[in-house]
Amino acid sequence: MSGHSGRFRRWLRRAPGRSAFPGVAGAGSGTGHARQNERPAGAGGPPHLRSRWTTLSVAREIFLLQLVLVVLLVAAAVVAIVVQSRRDTMTDARHRTLAAAESFAHSWGLQEALNSDNPTAKLQPLAEEARKASGVDALIVYKLDGITLTHSDPRQIGKHVIGPYADAARGKPFTRTFEGALGLSVISAAPVKDSSGKVVAIVSAPVRVEEVQKSVNRQLPIFLGTAVGALALAGGGAGLMSRRLRRQTHGLGPAEMTRMYEHHDAVLHAVREGVLIVGRGGRLLLANDEARRLLDLPADAEGRYVGDLGLDHRTAELLTSDRTATDEVHLAQDRLLALNKRSTTPYGAHHGSVVTLRDTTELRWLSGRAEVARERLRVLYDAGVRIGSTLNVVGTAEELAQVAVPRFADIVTVELLEPVLKGEEPPVAGSELRRTAVAGLAADHPLYPVGELLRFAPGTPMAARVEQGHSVVEPDLAGSARWRSQDPERVRRILDHGVHSLAVVPLRARGVVLGLVDFWRSGSSPPFDDEDLSFAEELAGRAAVGIDNARRYTRERAMAMTLQRSLMPRGLPGQDALEVAHRYLPAKAGVGGDWFDVIPLPGARVALVVGDVVGHGLHAAATMGRLRIAVHNFSALDLAPDELLRHLDELVTHMDVQDEETEATEEGPAITGATCLYVIYDSVSGRVTAATAGHLPPAVAHPDGRVEFLYSPVSPPLGLGAGLPFETAELSLPEGSRLVLYTDGLVESRSRDLDAGLEALRAALAGPDRTPEDTCATVMTSLLPTRSADDVALLVARTRRLDPAHVAEWDVARDPAAVGPVRNACIRQLADWGLQHIAYGTELILSELITNAIRYGAEPIHVRLLLTRTLICEVSDGSSTSPHIRQAKATDEDGRGLFLVAQFAEHWGTRYSPRGKTIWATQAVGPDALPSEEELREHFLSQGENDGE
């Protein structure tokens, strides 16, 4: 086909007006009409018939060539298949007979059958069954003397068979091919060995190759059908190719094609309008002389990609796109061209486009105006995207300055009122502004720098703009006396710097002026006019909204941070049970509701608290403060962790109901959820008791480097009203263990799930023992290399044990006579501790507490003294009845005991347990902790005299 096509193309090139693109129709010309009836020399018939005959001849040769190739391929395939099938048949016969013989020779029970009295009776049925299953002609068992024991022909059983079985007798299986009476056959033999490895019999399996060949012959119809299908497909393909060749030439003869080429040349060289044809892939297929001149195309432009021809980006985009255009104006160097573009699809099979160009340079001015308007729209679009991307007042002002330089002004400065920078409401009147942002300034600029406080003189354009809120344009600064009066020396330097025009626009939002934006032009830039001022007002208006939003956000954030700082613990209380360190990292989005607390409890115990309120902002901070105060109040009651969380859950539910009512009337947000973890550590026993309300479990880092999580029973977050109980988990810790409490912002993020975060925390805590401060630093560095999107609270506490020498305990019988001995023992213990100076007050406290337990309590009664930085006296009994302090009357004989305890103890209270209650009192142990014994007696006497009165 390629040879005939080449001759056909060479024949066409001999026609006048030849071109590489014969399928393009053009305008007619006289030359084409004069030659349309001429025949080329040597033509043997009508041009149209000869062209048709040539086309058909090419198609016929293509058809015959394809047919011969297909026939040869099919014949070669059939021969290859026959040869391969025969080879596969022999291979299959060998494998089949050898597998059948060896399988039967090694079958279970064969030895037993051979050694029986009648081997044939036992083996014949088995051999026939195996023969049918394996597809061989027979399974024959011989003894070494050649006597047949099994055979497919029962008449052969018992006969003596002679064959080449020496290899099998020596214990080696073999396969042979032989030509028998029934045709070509394959036989395999395998030895049968006893337990000692001695050959006792031989199993042979013959099969005729003809039987195996039959399975292959069944596939020949498929091969023949495939060959016939290939022949049919080749004939159909040749016919389709012939039809395609006829369509490409459109059935035209040489005369018609010659006339088409003449018209084509006329379009290329004579038409005074540019014509381009662009193909589907964006390549230039045709360009006439006028188009080359208008677009200044290189000589080898045809066939190249349009984007590589040095055209204007917008023009190249139109030529390579699929859209149509009508009189669309494009700039080409110093010309304005009107482009019309249509698709060639309705007029040809090839997808492309035809473009015509006209020189419309007189539209330059109009196009320039349109380009300016288009650029202004782009600037406004960029301003809408870039300005206000951060809720930061200074950042928003800088974005405004950067958007306008250099596409609208050479220099932009932004000045804002002082209250606006602080997030406060702007004043109604004021002319003091602080320069906040600049853009486009050189290193030696004469304008005020960023941070300078500007006070505009009355009557200057800037002062008037601040007071009245109107825009102003100064096209000629050198001739503006009002502007020069502000600072004559600086004005002179600004003019010397080349600045010549100014537009001042107030930043107004919600009817209030926030500041000013100054647009400056210098050098060869044209001065500002009224149209420029309108655009500047539009730009400033968009920026003012962003600045006002940033101002309001700054105010709310400052209020929330102030509230949170006032509610968060400013320092950790003093206690000896734990060594504590903490970290708090606010979120990027602002103040959140995470909090932590360390609360000393009576009995040398400490409560650790971590909580998280969902959300950010003022409401989250306020809710956090309310919950933290509630936890402090409930802790003062010395409740167990589960009881404390139950009361806190009821409080949050009540707060939710109140907030929902407020939301219905004042449109305020309601609480959306909160979690809390409450842990109590007892430094006497080293026991940790924890309860959680939907919070993550605390981590425990043991002194040996092992890390585990103290999982409490699952409990819902606070305020859900689920009615589920809160449960506790307990664990005894050795001294030096580290308790780690945290919020979810530490271990969970968008790029890391919770399980991965907990494993990362485990890895950060594992290893050698570290101080709580070092542990906090390691955890924050490992888990939060960058700023977190959520609040993070981290609390690390290393446990300490109270020295057993500072603990004294006694069991007390329920007998008033037992008070004295226990009291005396306590006084002796105080002497051992060197606390004789507080022995008298301690004796009074213990006497009253033990006496109350004996009178009103229940057994068992237990007394404990704990020496920490204070002295703690505890009296426990099995009753849950709590005593109450009251002022005794003059006639009462009792009721003054707890009043005395309250007078001489720093703190006292009651805590409950499943076995009863404990009344405790703490005393300072310093030398000036309590008054002397004489002062106490005088106090009692004066108190008695007052009661007597």
Side-chain angles (χ1 to χ4, degrees):
M1 176 181 177
S2 58
H4 288 279
S5 299
R7 289 195 298 271
F8 184 62
R9 286 194 295 268
R10 287 194 297 270
W11 179 82
L12 290 177
R13 291 194 186 99
R14 291 198 297 269
R18 58 185 179 274
S19 174
F21 304 94
V24 181
S29 66
T31 306
H33 289 289
R35 298 183 179 179
Q36 65 180 1
N37 294 324
E38 295 181 6
R39 299 183 183 178
H48 181 71
L49 293 178
R50 188 175 66 253
S51 177
R52 174 183 290 272
W53 175 252
T54 304
T55 304
L56 293 177
S57 299
V58 172
R60 184 181 297 112
E61 289 185 11
I62 292 173
F63 174 78
L64 293 176
L65 179 59
Q66 286 188 341
L67 187 59
V68 170
L69 289 175
V70 171
V71 170
L72 292 176
L73 290 175
V74 170
V78 171
V79 171
I81 290 172
V82 171
V83 174
Q84 184 65 32
S85 65
R86 180 171 180 82
R87 182 182 302 167
D88 293 343
T89 298
M90 297 301 296
T91 302
D92 181 62
R94 292 188 182 95
H95 291 170
R96 185 184 302 183
T97 55
L98 184 59
E102 287 191 333
S103 298
F104 196 80
H106 294 86
S107 62
W108 182 83
L110 182 60
Q111 294 287 339
E112 182 181 354
L114 291 172
N115 297 328
S116 64
D117 296 335
N118 189 359
T120 300
K122 292 185 177 182
L123 293 178
Q124 179 66 14
L126 298 176
E128 282 299 300
E129 184 179 353
R131 178 188 66 82
K132 295 176 182 179
S134 59
V136 297
D137 293 340
L139 272 176
I140 307 171
V141 180
Y142 306 104
K143 291 186 176 180
L144 293 180
D145 56 3
I147 301 301
T148 303
L149 299 179
T150 65
H151 201 285
S152 58
D153 185 4
R155 293 174 297 180
Q156 302 297 326
I157 297 176
K159 294 183 179 182
H160 189 275
V161 178
I162 299 175
Y165 304 119
D167 290 342
R170 289 194 296 269
K172 296 181 180 180
F174 73 94
T175 301
R176 296 288 189 272
T177 302
F178 65 94
E179 187 72 33
L182 299 178
L184 184 63
S185 300
V186 176
I187 186 170
S188 297
V192 179
K193 300 179 181 179
D194 58 9
S195 59
S196 63
K198 180 180 179 182
V199 177
V200 297
I202 299 173
V203 178
S204 65
V207 67
R208 289 174 295 168
V209 177
E210 179 183 358
E211 294 296 327
V212 182
Q213 183 66 32
K214 289 179 181 179
S215 61
V216 178
N217 293 340
R218 287 192 291 268
Q219 301 178 12
L220 288 179
I222 300 176
F223 300 149
L224 295 177
T226 303
V228 174
L231 288 173
L233 184 61
L240 292 176
M241 188 171 295
S242 176
R243 293 184 59 187
R244 176 172 178 79
L245 187 56
R246 293 185 60 186
R247 284 198 304 269
Q248 287 181 340
T249 58
H250 300 285
L252 298 177
E256 288 81 358
M257 297 188 71
T258 299
R259 184 171 65 251
M260 183 181 297
Y261 273 99
E262 292 173 350
H263 297 169
H264 173 70
D265 278 355
V267 173
L268 288 177
H269 308 296
V271 175
R272 291 297 90 191
E273 187 173 83
V275 177
L276 299 174
I277 295 181
V278 182
R280 183 182 184 89
R283 295 191 176 275
L284 182 63
L285 302 182
L286 177 68
N288 68 349
D289 293 347
E290 185 67 8
R292 292 175 181 273
R293 184 184 68 84
L294 294 176
L295 298 176
D296 195 19
L297 297 177
D300 59 344
E302 292 180 351
R304 293 174 58 183
Y305 183 66
V306 172
D308 300 335
L309 299 178
L311 302 179
D312 180 73
H313 174 73
R314 182 165 163 262
T315 304
E317 186 273 332
L318 172 62
L319 296 181
T320 56
S321 66
D322 293 332
R323 65 184 182 92
T324 61
T326 302
D327 288 336
E328 189 171 306
V329 178
H330 287 251
L331 183 64
Q333 297 180 358
D334 58 345
R335 300 185 182 90
L336 288 177
L337 305 180
L339 271 67
N340 291 274
K341 180 183 176 185
R342 295 293 184 271
S343 175
T344 61
T345 302
Y347 308 103
H350 298 285
H351 178 73
S353 57
V354 58
V355 181
T356 61
L357 307 93
R358 297 195 313 274
D359 189 357
T360 57
T361 307
E362 64 274 7
L363 299 178
R364 177 188 295 268
W365 180 83
L366 181 59
S367 176
R369 301 281 295 181
E371 185 62 29
V372 171
R374 189 181 301 107
E375 179 62 23
R376 296 284 172 83
L377 289 176
R378 291 197 191 101
V379 174
L380 290 178
Y381 173 78
D382 291 343
V385 173
R386 294 178 56 185
I387 297 177
S389 59
T390 60
L391 291 174
N392 182 278
V393 175
V394 176
T396 305
E398 291 174 348
E399 290 169 348
L400 167 60
Q402 293 166 3
V403 164
V405 175
R407 291 188 290 178
F408 177 68
D410 298 313
I411 302 171
V412 174
T413 59
V414 181
E415 297 86 33
L416 297 178
L417 295 167
E418 280 287 329
V420 175
L421 291 171
K422 299 177 182 178
E424 302 172 0
E425 289 290 338
V428 177
S431 58
E432 291 187 358
L433 298 95
R434 188 171 297 277
R435 178 145 292 172
T436 308
V438 297
L441 291 177
D444 57 344
H445 68 86
L447 298 177
Y448 292 108
V450 172
E452 186 79 12
L453 183 62
L454 308 181
R455 295 180 177 87
F456 298 116
T460 60
M462 282 69 72
R465 296 319 104 194
V466 176
E467 296 172 358
Q468 302 174 9
H470 298 302
S471 305
V472 64
V473 61
E474 293 288 349
D476 184 13
L477 291 178
S480 176
R482 293 186 305 166
W483 181 71
R484 296 171 67 93
S485 63
Q486 168 69 24
D487 188 345
E489 177 58 27
R490 186 175 295 272
V491 168
R492 182 188 61 78
R493 292 167 52 200
I494 291 175
L495 295 176
D496 293 343
H497 202 265
V499 178
H500 57 75
S501 184
L502 170 66
V504 182
V505 181
L507 294 168
R508 179 189 294 271
R510 297 182 296 110
V512 180
V513 176
L514 307 177
L516 297 177
V517 55
D518 308 323
F519 301 95
W520 311 76
R521 283 184 178 173
S522 61
S524 60
S525 300
F528 288 110
D529 54 21
D530 291 339
E531 291 186 5
D532 294 328
L533 185 62
S534 299
F535 172 77
E537 291 175 342
E538 176 70 19
L539 186 61
R542 298 192 180 195
V545 175
I547 292 175
D548 189 56
N549 290 338
R551 177 194 64 80
R552 298 170 68 180
Y553 173 77
T554 301
R555 179 185 60 182
E556 181 177 345
R557 177 179 172 82
M559 294 173 60
M561 293 185 68
T562 302
L563 176 62
Q564 187 188 45
R565 281 195 297 268
S566 65
L567 296 176
M568 289 286 286
R570 299 185 180 181
L572 298 180
Q575 45 82 32
D576 297 326
L578 296 169
E579 180 186 356
V580 182
H582 61 87
R583 293 288 189 277
Y584 175 77
L585 182 65
K588 293 180 181 179
V591 177
D594 292 10
W595 93 92
F596 63 89
D597 243 322
V598 178
I599 306 173
L601 298 176
R605 297 173 302 137
V606 178
L608 303 176
V609 191
V610 166
D612 185 3
V613 176
V614 176
H616 296 87
L618 275 174
H619 185 73
T623 303
M624 176 271 291
R626 297 163 75 182
L627 295 182
R628 180 170 177 264
I629 293 172
V631 170
H632 269 271
N633 292 335
F634 290 139
S635 298
L637 300 177
D638 208 351
L639 300 175
D642 55 337
E643 287 294 318
L644 184 142
L645 290 182
R646 183 176 63 81
H647 288 291
L648 193 63
D649 180 60
E650 294 175 355
L651 174 64
V652 173
T653 303
H654 182 64
M655 291 165 58
D656 274 336
V657 173
Q658 289 182 337
D659 286 346
E660 288 176 359
E661 295 175 354
T662 304
E663 182 182 8
T665 56
E666 301 180 6
E667 300 182 357
I671 295 177
T672 56
T675 63
C676 184
L677 173 63
Y678 191 84
V679 179
I680 294 179
Y681 173 69
D682 188 345
S683 64
V684 177
S685 63
R687 195 149 190 87
V688 172
T689 306
T692 178
H695 203 84
L696 296 174
V700 180
H702 294 270
D704 59 2
R706 181 169 50 91
V707 179
E708 63 176 325
F709 290 96
L710 181 58
Y711 287 98
S712 303
V714 178
S715 300
L718 300 173
L720 293 186
L724 298 176
F726 296 94
E727 301 183 38
T728 60
E730 295 186 358
L731 181 67
S732 293
L733 296 180
E735 187 173 8
S737 300
R738 285 168 292 163
L739 279 169
V740 181
L741 285 69
Y742 51 91
T743 56
D744 58 354
L746 179 68
V747 296
E748 190 175 17
S749 64
R750 293 181 179 178
S751 59
R752 180 176 59 194
D753 60 17
L754 181 58
D755 292 337
L758 292 177
E759 287 304 316
L761 177 61
R762 185 195 301 271
L765 295 175
D769 186 25
R770 294 185 290 268
T771 65
E773 194 67 34
D774 292 340
T775 302
C776 285
T778 301
V779 170
M780 297 297 286
T781 302
S782 301
L783 273 70
L784 294 176
T786 58
R787 187 77 174 272
S788 173
D790 194 8
D791 287 16
V792 175
L794 176 63
L795 189 64
V796 179
R798 184 158 61 180
T799 60
R800 298 169 177 165
R801 285 289 188 92
L802 186 62
D803 188 352
H806 292 173
V807 180
E809 299 180 274
W810 299 271
D811 290 324
V812 182
R814 194 176 180 185
D815 183 359
V819 176
V822 173
R823 182 178 56 204
N824 294 334
C826 292
I827 297 304
R828 287 194 298 271
Q829 183 63 58
L830 291 180
D832 294 340
W833 287 343
L835 301 179
Q836 298 91 338
H837 59 284
I838 63 172
Y840 187 76
T842 304
E843 184 178 0
L844 290 176
I845 292 173
L846 288 173
S847 296
E848 178 58 29
L849 295 182
I850 297 173
T851 302
N852 278 344
I854 293 175
R855 284 186 179 182
Y856 308 110
E859 292 184 334
I861 301 175
H862 187 75
V863 176
R864 185 171 72 166
L865 295 181
L866 304 176
L867 179 58
T868 60
R869 60 181 60 194
T870 61
L871 177 66
I872 304 173
C873 304
E874 295 182 346
V875 178
S876 305
D877 66 82
S879 171
S880 60
T881 303
S882 176
H884 298 282
I885 189 171
R886 64 183 180 89
Q887 181 71 44
K889 298 180 181 178
T891 57
D892 291 341
E893 295 184 0
D894 55 10
R896 296 177 175 85
L898 287 180
F899 180 78
L900 292 176
V901 172
Q903 291 291 319
F904 298 111
E906 283 191 333
H907 303 285
W908 77 279
T910 304
R911 70 172 180 270
Y912 296 92
S913 67
R915 295 176 296 178
K917 69 176 183 297
T918 299
I919 303 178
W920 55 270
T922 62
Q923 296 174 265
V925 296
D928 301 329
L930 286 177
S932 63
E933 182 176 345
E934 292 75 11
E935 292 175 339
L936 289 174
R937 288 174 179 172
E938 291 179 2
H939 176 78
F940 292 149
L941 292 175
S942 62
Q943 185 68 29
E945 293 174 357
N946 293 334
D947 291 342
E949 294 176 358

